[in-house]
Amino acid sequence: MKAKIKPRINLENRTRLETVIPLSTLMILFVDPSSLCNFKCKFCPTGDHQIIRDSGRWQGLMDFLFYTKIIDDLKDFDKPLKVLRLYKEGEPLLNPRLADMVHYAKQSGSVQYIDTTTNGLLCDPERMKPILDAGLDKINISVNGMSSRQFLEFSGVELDFDHYVENIARLYDIKGQCEIAIKIAGDFLTEDEKERFYLTFGDIADRIFIENVAPCWPEFDVEDHLDVEITKGIYDQPLSDVNTCPYIFYMISVNSDGSVSLCFLDWSHKLLIGDVRFQSLKSIWDGEPLYRHQLSQLQGKRKAHAICGQCSQLSHCLPDNIDPYADELSVRLIASRQVLKK
C-alpha cells in the first residue's frame, strides 16, 4: 500500500496555542465555495433539506467577486494566511469557478497552503485538472460507503461504485504535488469492508484513515439521525471535556453568502460575527463580536452559551486544549484589546 495510515488532520508538530494567543493574523480561514450539496447524507445537516429550510439558511454558490475581496483583504494582515480551506457546508466542486478561486489565492502572495474536502463524486480528471494546475495543495475525499448500496443508504445518491473508484484512481495519476487524503467512517463497516477499504484506496491516496462518526454539529443530533450511540472520539481517543474552544482563537469561516461565522461548524448561521460584503476581514478578526466570544470562553462561560454549549466537536475531535492557560490568556487578550483601541 502506497498511502500512509494517517488522519487527514495533522495531529503532530502543532503550534502550541497558549504561546501565540492572541494572534494578530488568523492561521486558518474557511471559505465556502458552495453551500449546496449533491449528497443528502444522514450525518450532515446540509443533507436534511427540511432542517435547512426551517433554519432559513441561504444556499448557493459564492460570488467570485466576494471571493476576490476576501483574498484581497488578507493583505491587511501582517503575515500570510497559513491555510485556506475551500469548503464548509456543501460540495465545493459544484462551484464552476473553483479553479479560479485556487489560482487567485495562490497568485495573491497572501496564502501559503490551500486544501478542500469533497465527497468525491465529481472528481473526474477533466474537472480536477484545472484545479490541480491552479496549485491546490491537498484534497480530502470523504468516502461514504464501500458499495453503491451503502452510498444510497447513507448519502441518498445512486452511483456506480466501480466508476467512483476509477475516477479517484485517475485523479491520483494526475495529482502532481497535490496530496490526496481519503477517509471513511468505520462505524457501520464490517471488518472485511474495512480491509477492502484499504485495499481499494490504499494505492490511490497519499494518506488514508478509518474514522469514527462524531456528533460535531450543534443543534443536529447525529446519534438520532444514525440511530447509534457514539462512545469514543473520531480517532478512537477517549472523550474529553473542556471549557474553552481553541478554534475561535485561530480561525474563522466565511459562508457562501459572504457572512462570517465564528465557527466552521456553524451550519445554521447563528454564530455570525460579520459580513465581508460590508466589512474588511481584518476588521472582523479584530472586531468586538469575536473578542467577546473569546473572552467569555476563557472565563469559563462556553457551556452556558445556547449554541457553543451544545457542541460535541470539543469532546470528540479536539486537537488542542488551552483550558490550563485560560487565566493567563484572559489577561493577555484584555491587554491586547486595550492596545488595539489606542
Side-chain angles (χ1 to χ4, degrees):
M1 184 171 70
K2 296 178 182 177
K4 295 179 180 178
I5 299 177
K6 184 179 181 181
R8 58 198 159 101
I9 300 298
N10 294 323
L11 300 176
E12 68 281 354
N13 301 318
R14 296 179 65 84
T15 299
R16 294 188 63 87
L17 292 177
E18 70 274 10
T19 68
V20 295
I21 294 173
L23 289 163
S24 59
T25 301
L26 69 167
M27 289 182 177
I28 298 175
L29 177 66
F30 281 78
V31 175
D32 197 10
S34 168
S35 54
L36 299 168
C37 192
N38 50 352
F39 278 19
K40 293 181 287 186
C41 298
K42 292 181 178 180
F43 46 82
C44 173
T46 296
D48 192 320
H49 294 175
Q50 186 60 52
I51 285 181
I52 296 300
R53 281 194 293 269
D54 291 345
S55 74
R57 188 186 92 186
W58 181 82
Q59 286 192 285
L61 306 179
M62 173 167 280
D63 184 275
F64 189 68
L65 286 178
F66 290 165
Y67 175 78
T68 57
K69 178 189 177 296
I70 295 165
I71 301 303
D72 292 345
D73 280 356
L74 290 172
K75 293 183 173 65
D76 295 337
F77 292 93
D78 56 8
K79 296 177 184 177
L81 180 71
K82 193 172 182 179
V83 181
L84 173 64
R85 300 221 148 111
L86 288 176
Y87 64 95
K88 181 176 181 278
E89 290 160 4
E91 171 51 55
L93 293 178
L94 289 175
N95 192 315
R97 301 208 66 177
L98 188 62
D100 296 329
M101 290 178 162
V102 174
H103 175 74
Y104 194 85
K106 277 290 182 179
Q107 61 82 37
S108 71
S110 299
V111 178
Q112 294 180 343
Y113 187 91
I114 306 174
D115 66 18
T116 192
T117 293
T118 173
N119 57 42
L121 183 61
L122 301 178
C123 279
D124 57 275
E126 292 75 19
R127 186 188 305 265
M128 295 304 302
K129 190 175 187 306
I131 300 171
L132 295 168
D133 290 345
L136 186 67
D137 293 290
K138 184 182 178 188
I139 303 171
N140 300 300
I141 301 176
S142 299
V143 176
N144 289 337
M146 286 306 299
S147 66
S148 299
R149 178 189 60 79
Q150 286 183 341
F151 266 88
L152 182 60
E153 180 182 353
F154 287 104
S155 299
V157 63
E158 294 185 7
L159 55 74
D160 181 329
F161 182 72
D162 291 336
H163 182 66
Y164 176 86
V165 175
E166 180 185 345
N167 262 348
I168 295 175
R170 293 169 66 203
L171 170 64
Y172 184 78
D173 287 340
I174 65 169
K175 74 183 186 68
Q177 297 302 308
C178 183
E179 183 181 21
I180 307 294
I182 299 179
K183 62 92 172 176
I184 194 171
D187 304 66
F188 307 99
L189 299 180
T190 66
E191 291 306 311
D192 286 345
E193 287 169 334
K194 291 177 182 179
E195 182 178 353
R196 186 155 56 85
F197 169 71
Y198 286 122
L199 291 173
T200 301
F201 295 101
D203 284 332
I204 55 175
D206 297 298
R207 66 169 83 180
I208 191 169
F209 204 79
I210 298 176
E211 298 180 354
N212 300 315
V213 172
C216 54
W217 306 103
E219 299 187 309
F220 183 82
D221 193 334
V222 171
E223 292 179 310
D224 180 60
H225 278 73
L226 292 178
D227 191 24
V228 64
E229 182 181 3
I230 300 171
T231 60
K232 53 188 176 182
I234 191 170
Y235 302 130
D236 273 340
Q237 75 274 29
L239 301 185
S240 59
D241 187 32
V242 297
N243 291 318
T244 312
C245 172
Y247 297 111
I248 63 175
F249 292 90
Y250 66 95
M251 67 171 74
I252 54 175
S253 303
V254 183
N255 301 312
S256 56
D257 63 355
S259 61
V260 179
S261 286
L262 174 74
C263 175
F264 63 100
L265 296 172
D266 181 28
W267 66 270
S268 59
H269 299 185
K270 292 182 178 178
L271 295 173
L272 299 182
I273 57 172
D275 195 312
V276 294
R277 291 171 294 184
F278 316 113
Q279 300 167 269
S280 72
L281 199 60
K282 191 171 192 307
S283 71
I284 296 170
W285 179 251
D286 291 338
E288 192 69 19
L290 178 58
Y291 169 73
R292 287 200 303 267
H293 277 287
Q294 291 173 335
L295 186 60
S296 174
Q297 295 213 11
L298 288 173
Q299 293 173 341
K301 300 175 183 177
R302 177 183 72 82
K303 294 179 182 179
H305 191 277
I307 306 299
C308 297
Q310 300 181 45
C311 180
S312 296
Q313 173 77 9
L314 304 184
S315 56
H316 291 69
C317 312
L318 184 70
D320 308 290
N321 182 2
I322 59 173
D323 276 4
Y325 312 96
D327 290 343
E328 173 191 347
L329 293 177
S330 293
V331 172
R332 280 161 42 188
L333 187 67
I334 292 170
S336 174
R337 191 68 183 172
Q338 291 172 342
V339 170
L340 191 65
K341 287 183 173 182
K342 288 182 179 179

